[in-house]
Amino acid sequence: MFQVPVSEGDEVPTTSTAPTTAHSTSTGIRFKSTKAKPHKKLAKDKLEYPSKLFIPLSAKRLAQLFGPGVTVQTGNIVLETLHRQRFRGTLDEGITAPGVDEVLVAKALAYLRETYPYNEDAAIMRRIEEEDRQAEAKYIEDAERLGLYKPQQNADPENPYGKSGLDFIKEHYENKAIRRKGEDPQPPAPDSVSPDSALVEQPKGRAVLARRTESAEWVKRYKEKAQLDGLKFDTLNPTQKIWRILPSAIFCLAIVWLSVLLAQHYVPPPKPARLWPDIPPAAATVTTLIMMNFVGLVLWRTPPMWRFMNTFFLIIPARPRLWSMLGNVFSHQSPAHFFGNMLVLWFVGTRLHDDVGRGNFLAIHLSSGVMASLVSLSRFVITNNFITTSLGASGALAGVLAAWCCIHSGEQFKIRFLPPEIGEIFSLNLLFFFLLCGEVYGIVRGGHRIDHWAHLGGYATGWAGAMALKHRARRRKELEAERREKMGLGVREQMRKIVGA
C-alpha cells in the first residue's frame, strides 16, 4: 500500500489513506527512460529485495503495457512496489492506492514475472517461517520476563527445548562405559536433570502471548473511514486545471493579504498582558508554533482523527480543499521530519523574530507556508500527478530562512574548521545561493520524497517579504530625515527673526 507523504518536504503516493509507520516507500521519483532488461544476477535465495535490480520503464513502454491513462511516475511506482513484494513474499498485502485497480496490477505482475523470473511461493514460505520464528522468540521472551520459563544453561542451540530425561540417562551410561575403558568422561551439564529420573519438570502457569503484528480491527475500521470520496484522477485539460487550482489560489492570496494587515497593524501587548511574561517574545512565539505542530503530529497517530487530518491537514491534488492549504503547514507524520523542521524553526525563527518583531515574523511564516502549498498543488495538477500528496512546515521555514538571509545579506559567518581569511568569503548571500542550487539540483535529479518546488515557493515569498520590510524601513528613515531637516530650517528661521528684531 502506498503511504501518505510527508511534507512540503516529503511526498508520498496516496491521497486518501491513513498514515502508517513505513516511511521508506519511494515516491515522487523521476525515472530515466531506459529499456527494461532482466538482471543477470537476481538473488533468488534472498528474502529481502534489493531495489537497485528494478529498472524503470520509459513512457512509451509503460503506454504499451498499461495504456495511455497511466503516468510514468504511477506506472513505475506500481511496478517497483510489486517487484519488492514478490521478493519479500508479501504479494498478499496488495496495493490499495487510488487509481490502481486489479487490471493494472495483473498487467504489472505479468510483465514482472516474465522479465524477472522468481520463485514467489518459496519467498512466501520463507516469510511465513521467519514470522513464526519471531513469534516463538517473542513467546519465550515473555515467558522469561514473567518467570514462567528458565532456559537451560549450556543447552544445545539446535534444541531450544533442552534435553529430556532419556537423553540424560543415555549420557550417564555412555560416561560409565568410558570410565571402564580408562578415559575421562564428559562432566554433566550444570542444572541438569538427575539421570535417575526420566521426567523433565515443566513450567507451571501460562505465558503471555505476543502482540499481533497486523493492525487491530478497530484500527482497520478507522482506516477505512479515513478514505475520502469524490477523488478525481482523470487527466485534465488546461481549463480544468485552472479551475482546480483557482479556488486555492484565491484562498492563499487572502491569507497573504491578512498577513500583511497583521504586519502593519500589530501592536505588542504590555508585559503584564502577555501569557508568558517571563519568556522573551521570540521564544514565546516560536514555542507556540512548535506546540501547534506537535499537536498535528499527535493527531496523525490517533486513528479516530485520520479522516479529519486527511481533509484539513493534507494537500490532495485529486480533491483540493481550501483549509488544507494552511493546515498542512502545521502537519507532520514522521517524528524525524517534525524534529528536523522544529530545530530550524527554533534556531532561525527566533533570530528573525528579534530582527523584525512578532507581527512581521508571523506574516512571513504564514505567507510563505500558504504560497509554498499553492506552488506544490499547482505543480501536481499541471503534471497530472494526483496520487501524490504533500504536507509539512518546510515551505514556511524556507520563507523564514530566506527572509533572515535577505535582512543580513551583507553579513559574513565563520566556519570553525576554516582559517579566518578563508571564512571571510562566506556570506549569507552565498549560503542562500547554495540552498537554491540544492533545490534546483533536487528537481533536476528527481527527489524521492522532498517537494523541492514547495521549498522554492517558500524561499521566493520569504525573500519578497524581507525586501518589502527593508524598503519600508529605508523609506521611514528618509521621511524621518526630511522631518528633522524641516524642523531644523524652521528653528534657524525663527532665530534670524529674533536676531533681526
Side-chain angles (χ1 to χ4, degrees):
M1 178 176 180
F2 293 128
Q3 311 304 322
V4 176
V6 223
S7 174
E8 245 112 76
D10 288 14
E11 302 172 7
V12 233
T14 189
T15 57
S16 60
T17 181
T20 73
T21 57
H23 295 287
S24 60
T25 306
S26 83
T27 62
I29 306 176
R30 294 184 180 178
F31 297 101
K32 296 182 179 179
S33 299
T34 6
K35 185 176 180 181
K37 298 180 181 180
H39 201 279
K40 295 181 179 180
K41 297 181 180 180
L42 287 178
K44 295 186 178 181
D45 57 338
K46 293 185 178 180
L47 179 62
E48 293 295 330
Y49 155 64
S51 58
K52 66 180 182 180
L53 297 183
F54 174 74
I55 302 177
L57 303 184
S58 63
K60 181 179 179 180
R61 183 68 182 91
L62 287 172
Q64 295 175 353
L65 182 61
F66 298 122
V70 180
T71 63
V72 176
Q73 184 182 24
T74 303
N76 280 311
I77 288 176
V78 171
L79 287 170
E80 183 182 6
T81 303
L82 289 174
H83 196 39
R84 184 184 297 108
Q85 291 179 348
R86 291 178 64 231
F87 278 81
R88 292 180 176 177
T90 58
L91 279 176
D92 54 326
E93 295 180 357
I95 300 179
T96 58
V100 179
D101 53 15
E102 296 181 358
V103 177
L104 188 147
V105 172
K107 292 180 180 179
L109 280 176
Y111 166 78
L112 292 172
R113 286 165 177 164
E114 179 182 357
T115 309
Y116 303 95
Y118 188 74
N119 191 342
E120 298 173 5
D121 294 335
I124 293 175
M125 293 303 298
R126 286 196 297 270
R127 188 201 75 181
I128 294 175
E129 292 174 357
E130 178 66 17
E131 291 177 351
D132 291 343
R133 187 192 65 77
Q134 295 177 359
E136 183 179 2
K138 181 63 177 177
Y139 296 150
I140 295 176
E141 179 183 352
D142 290 342
E144 292 180 12
R145 177 171 53 84
L146 296 174
L148 303 178
Y149 171 75
K150 180 180 179 181
Q152 296 183 5
Q153 298 182 2
N154 300 328
D156 187 0
E158 297 181 357
N159 185 9
Y161 302 103
K163 296 182 179 180
S164 66
L166 294 177
D167 293 331
F168 285 106
I169 293 174
K170 180 180 178 181
E171 183 179 349
H172 169 71
Y173 286 106
E174 288 179 351
N175 291 334
K176 184 183 292 187
I178 292 174
R179 282 195 296 268
R180 289 176 182 175
K181 295 181 181 179
E183 299 177 2
D184 295 331
Q186 297 181 358
D191 297 334
S192 60
V193 180
S194 172
D196 298 330
S197 173
L199 298 177
V200 179
E201 182 180 0
Q202 300 292 332
K204 300 179 181 179
R206 301 175 61 184
V208 178
L209 297 178
R211 296 180 179 178
R212 294 175 59 88
T213 56
E214 60 181 8
S215 301
E217 290 298 329
W218 68 276
V219 176
K220 294 180 179 179
R221 184 168 64 254
Y222 283 112
K223 190 174 183 179
E224 294 176 358
K225 290 182 179 180
Q227 302 291 331
L228 300 180
D229 301 326
L231 303 181
K232 299 178 181 180
F233 303 95
D234 300 331
T235 301
L236 304 179
N237 58 47
T239 304
Q240 292 173 325
K241 292 179 180 179
I242 292 175
W243 282 107
R244 180 164 290 195
I245 298 173
L246 185 59
S248 299
I250 295 174
F251 176 81
C252 292
L253 292 177
I255 296 295
V256 173
W257 179 68
L258 292 175
S259 300
V260 173
L261 293 180
L262 173 66
Q264 292 178 347
H265 301 286
Y266 176 79
V267 178
K271 187 174 182 179
R274 292 177 52 202
L275 182 61
W276 299 316
D278 298 329
I279 299 178
T285 304
V286 173
T287 301
T288 302
L289 292 175
I290 292 175
M291 292 172 62
M292 295 172 65
N293 282 273
F294 179 74
V295 171
L297 176 67
V298 173
L299 292 179
W300 271 118
R301 299 185 175 275
T302 307
M305 300 301 298
W306 282 348
R307 184 175 182 86
F308 174 77
M309 300 300 290
N310 281 341
T311 303
F312 298 106
F313 289 84
L314 185 68
I315 298 178
I316 304 176
R319 189 181 179 183
R321 292 182 179 271
L322 299 183
W323 285 106
S324 66
M325 305 300 290
L326 178 61
N328 82 94
V329 178
F330 304 94
S331 180
H332 298 82
Q333 289 183 349
S334 165
H337 183 214
F338 166 79
F339 285 112
N341 280 347
M342 294 306 102
L343 284 175
V344 176
L345 178 59
W346 177 260
F347 287 107
V348 181
T350 51
R351 287 165 172 76
L352 179 63
H353 190 290
D354 291 334
D355 293 333
V356 301
R358 176 176 292 172
N360 294 324
F361 170 77
L362 291 176
I364 291 174
H365 183 273
L366 295 177
S367 299
S368 301
V370 295
M371 293 307 295
S373 301
L374 179 60
V375 172
S376 178
L377 174 65
S378 302
R379 170 232 175 175
F380 289 142
V381 174
I382 291 173
T383 58
N384 290 315
N385 184 0
F386 301 120
I387 67 169
T388 303
T389 58
S390 184
L391 64 126
S394 52
L397 299 182
V400 171
L401 182 58
W404 183 64
C405 291
C406 179
I407 292 176
H408 300 276
S409 56
E411 298 182 7
Q412 297 175 342
F413 63 94
K414 297 180 180 179
I415 301 179
R416 294 180 180 274
F417 56 86
L418 292 180
E421 58 274 10
I422 299 179
E424 292 179 356
I425 67 175
F426 291 97
S427 65
L428 290 179
N429 278 338
L430 185 62
L431 172 63
F432 186 67
F433 174 74
F434 284 147
L435 292 174
L436 292 180
C437 290
E439 301 296 342
V440 174
Y441 173 75
I443 292 174
V444 174
R445 180 177 176 269
H448 292 265
R449 300 179 60 193
I450 300 178
D451 195 346
H452 297 283
W453 284 102
H455 290 177
L456 291 177
Y459 284 134
T461 306
W463 190 272
M467 291 296 294
L469 292 177
K470 293 175 70 174
H471 174 75
R472 189 173 66 177
R474 190 183 309 113
R475 182 59 180 165
R476 187 182 295 114
K477 289 182 180 180
E478 293 175 355
L479 293 175
E480 181 67 19
E482 293 177 1
R483 186 180 66 83
R484 290 183 178 181
E485 184 178 357
K486 290 180 180 179
M487 290 179 61
L489 290 175
V491 170
R492 285 195 295 269
E493 187 65 26
Q494 291 180 2
M495 292 296 295
R496 288 195 190 99
K497 291 179 179 181
I498 294 173
V499 172

